[in-house]
Amino acid sequence: MNELEDQEYSYKRDLSEGSLVPSHHTHDSPRMANLISHGMHSVPGYSRMEDDYTTYRILPQLTCDPVPPVAHFSLASYPEYLLAQSSHYQHVLGQPYSSWPSQEAFHYGMSSGEICRAVTSISSDGADVYSLEGYSTDQGFRHHDRNQPHALHVPPHDQKHPAETSNICQPVQIVCDVTGGGQVVVLNHCSPDQIPHSLMMDLNTVSQPKTSEQSCSTEDHSPTEKDARHSEKITSTGLPQTHKTSAGVTFNLAPGPYASQLHQTLCPTQIVELEEEGQSKGRRRVKWEKSKRPCNCTKSQCLKLYCECFANGDVCNNCKCLNCYNNTEHNLERSQAIKACLDRNPGAFRPKIGSKKQGNVKGCHTKGCNCKRSGCLKNYCECYEAKIMCTSTCKCVGCRNYEESPSKKSSERDRPDSSIYYPTRSPLACITPDVVEATCGCLLAQAEEAEKEGYTAAHAERMILEEFGQCLTQIVRSIFKSNSVQFNE
DNA sequence: GAGTTTGAAACT
DNA sequence: CAGTTTCAAACTC
């Protein structure tokens, strides 16, 4: 393994021991024109039960209120693997992150080192300074200030990682819960140019850390004893270790699970429960996630977003792809492909599923789907696959991914998790494509009749509008009838 | 496992 | 930006 791979490996392992945070999310206004195909998506209080298959990805935004210096920055959604190699890509991407999307409030130029310094400066008296010192081969872990009881560090591993035998600086996580609500940031001071990552603490579902080398593997990567001990060392209590600064910022000291969005969806058969050593002594079980679908690309060389591995920022490994260039042996091609993708769409590597409020609301597809034939009730639909409802952002036709319709119910029964909550039936559910088509047919018929009769344009317009009114009346009547509500004309 | 369907991504 | 093509995953048989 070369040096780069070592770095990548250790970096991902550290990252993967965090988790991602659903952050506050601002919704676009509902697009009224799309209501007809989506119905009531923005149901107040709507929530969907989180389930075992819930996945997250690095979040686009993180608010560190109330601390001004780091008070508002977003987290790069670009996959961690690439971040780990950020310097490696700079020759292609230009200035670091210069081509990164920037419509969000993320200070893309802000390095983790700067964040660290900003965090350090949170407390005027320095009492809350975290260790920004890392682990080095020769020096081991060092506290930034040994006199600081809170100056904590998270060792990457208990045992020596291969990288430790070289002179590669092992990254040390600086994990802080910047909102006190579970949002945390992982900073890797060893690579101060790296973009900080948002993680989520959820110790009930600690995911299996993944390395890029493992990411596409279909083989068993059961956690090692080392992992278990590492986890134990960090959170021996099973609870997030936090420290609140004098500025009111809480730092989580423990790593959390990390998983990315759609394509690292947990599968029930892929969850390995690791029984920690000494569990009989009351230590908790840790669930590790190990999942990453191998791709089967044949024509894209795995250098286009068609490839899930590439889109996820992973290199292919143990995939079934042909003529794959998405690996460390083809870094140049890969870098160029990344640049091309970013040129086409600066947000190409952003998570598609943005999170909404932290808590019981899961999120929505940032771009929305465009399904035409699946009714958004099959995994072709990205919203459905992500187990979220379609929203007004979507441009889908005949969408049924918004309510507890019989078809949805039956399809949900076949899914691994039937506990998902869906809001009550949308009154617009009866506006099917057929209804829309029939309505359009009626309007066209009126137009044709007006033309045939030689009516004026104004008259024709009136006829069409009247016809439209009648159609709407029928639709509304149908809606009320289906909801068993008396409709008074 | 082969063939078909589907929708996102890429291209024009 | 819209229409078309390419692509790989999802799905069906």
Side-chain angles (χ1 to χ4, degrees):
Chain A
M1 188 181 286
N2 61 29
E3 182 172 306
L4 174 63
E5 288 169 333
D6 278 350
Q7 284 178 306
E8 173 192 330
Y9 179 83
S10 59
Y11 183 81
K12 288 203 69 167
R13 282 199 62 82
D14 279 329
L15 257 186
S16 64
E17 288 168 6
S19 73
L20 304 178
V21 188
S23 68
H24 300 294
H25 179 84
T26 46
H27 256 309
D28 296 335
S29 326
R31 191 162 52 84
M32 292 302 293
N34 211 31
L35 277 180
I36 198 165
S37 63
H38 296 102
M40 299 166 65
H41 296 304
S42 302
V43 180
Y46 161 75
S47 68
R48 184 178 294 208
M49 300 290 287
E50 297 289 349
D51 53 71
D52 283 345
Y53 314 103
T54 299
T55 54
Y56 298 91
R57 204 175 188 181
I58 294 172
L59 297 173
Q61 189 167 341
L62 184 67
T63 303
C64 304
D65 195 37
V67 186
V70 289
H72 199 185
F73 62 89
S74 296
L75 298 167
S77 61
Y78 200 74
E80 59 282 1
Y81 169 73
L82 300 178
L83 297 178
Q85 301 186 53
S86 57
S87 59
H88 192 68
Y89 286 106
Q90 282 174 18
H91 69 285
V92 172
L93 300 178
Q95 291 301 312
Y97 322 122
S98 59
S99 61
W100 245 271
S102 60
Q103 60 261 43
E104 292 167 359
F106 177 63
H107 296 174
Y108 287 102
M110 182 177 274
S111 68
S112 60
E114 288 170 316
I115 300 286
C116 286
R117 285 189 289 278
V119 169
T120 311
S121 68
I122 289 170
S123 172
S124 57
D125 58 10
D128 300 312
V129 171
Y130 258 79
S131 170
L132 302 182
E133 294 289 337
Y135 179 78
S136 67
T137 308
D138 301 324
Q139 296 166 328
F141 292 99
R142 292 179 296 157
H143 287 284
H144 182 67
D145 182 351
R146 291 185 183 279
N147 296 324
Q148 294 303 325
H150 299 305
L152 298 178
H153 53 261
V154 181
H157 299 292
D158 254 3
Q159 297 176 353
K160 281 212 170 193
H161 184 276
E164 295 173 25
T165 60
S166 67
N167 287 327
I168 299 170
C169 175
Q170 282 290 89
V172 171
Q173 294 179 99
I174 307 295
V175 186
C176 60
D177 179 345
V178 290
T179 65
Q183 293 183 353
V184 299
V185 176
V186 170
L187 305 173
N188 178 2
H189 75 286
C190 289
S191 300
D193 287 336
Q194 286 175 355
I195 293 176
H197 289 255
S198 168
L199 304 176
M200 177 179 69
M201 300 305 305
D202 183 359
L203 293 171
N204 291 325
T205 54
V206 177
S207 299
Q208 162 71 10
K210 287 192 276 300
T211 71
S212 61
E213 294 302 314
Q214 295 171 317
S215 59
C216 294
S217 172
T218 55
E219 295 170 3
D220 186 22
H221 290 292
S222 302
T224 63
E225 211 174 298
K226 178 175 64 178
D227 295 326
R229 282 202 304 273
H230 175 48
S231 172
E232 179 185 333
K233 181 174 181 178
I234 295 164
T235 59
S236 59
T237 63
L239 295 170
Q241 301 172 20
T242 60
H243 166 64
K244 193 164 189 174
T245 71
S246 58
V249 177
T250 304
F251 294 87
N252 276 336
L253 308 181
Y258 160 72
S260 72
Q261 176 216 4
L262 282 178
H263 305 311
Q264 290 179 358
T265 303
L266 279 169
C267 298
T269 57
Q270 292 179 310
I271 294 177
V272 175
E273 279 199 338
L274 168 69
E275 189 144 357
E276 287 187 62
E277 233 178 350
Q279 186 189 342
S280 58
K281 298 174 184 174
R283 292 175 186 150
R284 65 185 184 83
R285 278 169 99 92
V286 178
K287 266 187 178 179
W288 298 96
E289 175 197 355
K290 57 151 195 161
S291 78
K292 176 67 183 68
R293 296 187 297 199
C295 72
N296 299 289
C297 307
T298 57
K299 298 183 177 179
S300 67
Q301 297 179 317
C302 298
L303 288 184
K304 296 198 172 180
L305 294 174
Y306 298 127
C307 174
E308 293 189 6
C309 303
F310 181 77
N312 254 1
D314 291 318
V315 292
C316 290
N317 188 17
N318 290 338
C319 294
K320 298 170 185 171
C321 43
L322 301 177
N323 195 22
C324 180
Y325 277 59
N326 184 30
N327 49 48
T328 52
E329 287 76 34
H330 296 85
N331 266 327
L332 179 60
E333 292 89 345
R334 189 165 184 264
S335 301
Q336 290 170 343
I338 290 164
K339 182 178 186 300
C341 284
L342 289 173
D343 284 346
R344 272 193 299 270
N345 174 19
F349 294 95
R350 283 192 174 170
K352 289 179 179 176
I353 308 301
S355 55
K356 289 168 75 177
K357 293 176 184 175
Q358 200 172 336
N360 61 350
V361 179
K362 196 166 182 179
C364 66
H365 198 292
T366 53
K367 282 177 59 183
C369 68
N370 296 286
C371 306
K372 303 263 187 307
R373 305 173 69 89
S374 66
C376 300
L377 286 182
K378 294 193 174 181
N379 282 334
Y380 298 126
C381 174
E382 292 193 347
C383 298
Y384 183 83
E385 189 181 20
K387 298 194 170 207
I388 58 176
M389 288 199 309
C390 290
T391 69
S392 57
T393 309
C394 299
K395 301 177 186 68
C396 42
V397 176
C399 178
R400 305 186 76 177
N401 182 26
Y402 57 85
E403 48 91 19
E404 202 171 16
S405 66
S407 59
K408 180 150 193 166
K409 264 185 165 178
S410 61
S411 89
E412 285 300 335
R413 273 198 299 271
D414 299 332
R415 305 191 77 190
D417 178 17
S418 58
S419 65
I420 296 176
Y421 166 75
Y422 292 99
T424 54
R425 175 182 175 79
S426 164
L428 298 180
C430 63
I431 304 179
T432 64
D434 289 342
V435 171
V436 174
E437 190 176 346
T439 302
C440 292
C442 291
L443 302 183
L444 274 174
Q446 285 295 307
E448 287 173 356
E449 185 176 341
E451 187 179 17
K452 183 180 174 183
E453 298 295 332
Y455 293 141
T456 63
H459 193 177
E461 186 177 342
R462 178 184 294 179
M463 287 174 62
I464 294 169
L465 286 174
E466 284 176 354
E467 180 66 25
F468 187 50
Q470 289 182 18
C471 291
L472 286 179
T473 300
Q474 289 188 38
I475 291 170
V476 171
R477 183 181 294 140
S478 173
I479 288 172
F480 278 86
K481 188 177 177 182
S482 64
N483 285 334
S484 303
V485 175
Q486 195 81 29
F487 176 68
N488 299 317
E489 293 185 70

